[in-house]
């Protein structure tokens, strides 16, 4: 299997372009699923406080025997903890639950525009970064106008913006803003939770390359320069999703996949989502 490329973030941190997402994996299934991914060759795990499975991710990392320094682990600040003191405490709790002394990347999960002020939350994230216990900090589900406030009102440019991206939601505006500001785009739900996989355009391209429609979709993301972390609890799919670095999509195939865009989300709209679990 060909190696996963690395991407260097704006703070110098190096992140594998493909990882393993653990959203909606039940806590009792997370250790085995994460171990399967690590055994397959994944070295980047994307979790969150909201997913309720950080503890099991940590257990899998230790049980894998892989040196912590060879792994890249991301977690995200949960929505109720946007106030400074809460954010600092919640970050400490993440480290405790994972059993780590640092995170590679810590993100604000949602901007929650009607609850507190995400600029103040970002200032707490800056404090966490300066403690050295999060190597990089970033955001998730930020629209350009949310990012613009961080850029105008604070001294730290987020290293990544993790947003929903797939062929039904190509996010051209958000991705262009990220790129202009040296922020790497991370594409969540990269296969739209499986919804895109029956598209004839993808089937045709997949047939010509001897690949699956999931592999073609993930390949489209990496050729666009985004970071992806498909989720699967099915071992054969975990292997399939990693095996995308031995073929190239031509420009017209890339364009055909992008033309599936219909600005359709599988998840909430960040401008109106203010959910406190
Ligand atoms: N920041 C955010 O707000 C946010 C929101 C959502 C997700 N995320 C992150 O993004 C990651 C991925 O997103 P996601 O889990 O929502 O969706 P996804 O990765 O697009 O899709 C996962 C679904 O597709 C299936 N699947 C996976 N690989 C497949 C393959 N090769 N062929 C056919 N079906 C396949 C999985 O089934 P099985 O598991 O049954 O195999 C699962 O039902 C999450 O785990 C999380 O880390 C972040």
């Amino acid at each position: 299997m060909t190696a996963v490329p690395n991407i260097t973030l704006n703070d110098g941190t190096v992140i594998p372009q493909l990882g393993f997402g653990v959203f909606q994996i039940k806590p009792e299934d997370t250790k085995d699923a994460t171990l399967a991914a690590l055994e397959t060759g994944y070295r980047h795990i994307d979790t969150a406080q909201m997913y309720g499975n950080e503890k099991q991710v940590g257990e899998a990392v230790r049980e894998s025997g892989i040196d912590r320094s060879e792994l890249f682990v991301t977690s995200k600040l949960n929505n109720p903890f946007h106030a400074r003191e809460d954010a600092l405490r919640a970050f400490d709790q993440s480290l405790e639950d994972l059993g780590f002394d640092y995170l590679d990347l810590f993100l604000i999960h949602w901007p929650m525009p009607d609850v507190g002020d995400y600029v103040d939350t970002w200032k707490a994230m800056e404090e966490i970064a300066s403690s050295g216990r999060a190597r990089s900090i970033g955001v998730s589900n930020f629209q350009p106008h949310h990012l613009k406030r961080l850029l105008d009102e604070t001294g730290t440019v987020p290293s990544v913006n993790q947003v929903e991206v797939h062929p039904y939601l190509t996010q051209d505006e958000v991705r262009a803003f990220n790129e202009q500001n040296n922020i790497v785009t991370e594409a969540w739900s990269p296969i739209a939770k499986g919804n895109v996989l029956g598209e004839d355009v993808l089937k045709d391209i997949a047939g010509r390359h001897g690949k699956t429609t999931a592999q073609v979709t993930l390949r489209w993301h990496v050729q666009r320069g985004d970071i992806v972390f498909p989720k699967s609890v099915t071992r054969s799919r975990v292997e399939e999703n990693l095996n995308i670095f031995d073929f190239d999509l031509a420009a017209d195939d890339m364009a055909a996949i992008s033309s599936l865009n219909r600005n359709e989300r599988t998840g909430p709209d960040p401008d109106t989502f203010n959910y406190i679990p």
Side-chain angles (χ1 to χ4, degrees), residues 23 46 140-141 162 189 193 231-234 237 240-241:
F23 176 47
D46 185 86
S140 179
N141 300 302
Q162 180 178 131
S189 292
K193 303 186 168 79
K231 168 264 177 189
S232 178
V233 293
T234 313
R237 290 174 173 174
E240 177 184 325
N241 294 343

Side-chain angles (χ1 to χ4, degrees), residues 37-79:
L38 293 172
E39 282 162 17
T40 306
Y42 291 71
R43 291 292 178 268
H44 165 187
I45 311 289
D46 185 86
T47 185
Q49 294 169 355
M50 197 187 286
Y51 304 166
N53 55 16
E54 289 172 300
K55 189 165 175 284
Q56 293 76 16
V57 167
E59 285 168 4
V61 165
R62 279 182 293 285
E63 207 165 306
S64 74
I66 299 166
D67 197 85
R68 174 72 184 89
S69 64
E70 290 177 32
L71 299 174
F72 192 101
V73 181
T74 300
S75 192
K76 315 183 192 85
L77 180 71
N78 204 353
N79 295 347

Side-chain angles (χ1 to χ4, degrees), residues 104-150:
D104 297 276
L105 176 62
F106 193 52
L107 309 179
I108 301 179
H109 204 149
W110 290 89
M112 306 279 289
D114 298 335
V115 180
D117 186 348
Y118 50 80
V119 176
D120 291 336
T121 312
W122 185 245
K123 290 176 182 165
M125 300 289 282
E126 288 179 308
E127 285 184 53
I128 290 166
S130 48
S131 79
R133 293 177 311 143
R135 301 266 160 98
S136 290
I137 52 171
V139 295
S140 179
N141 300 302
F142 273 48
Q143 304 278 41
H145 67 97
H146 301 131
L147 283 171
K148 194 165 179 321
R149 282 199 58 212
L150 301 190

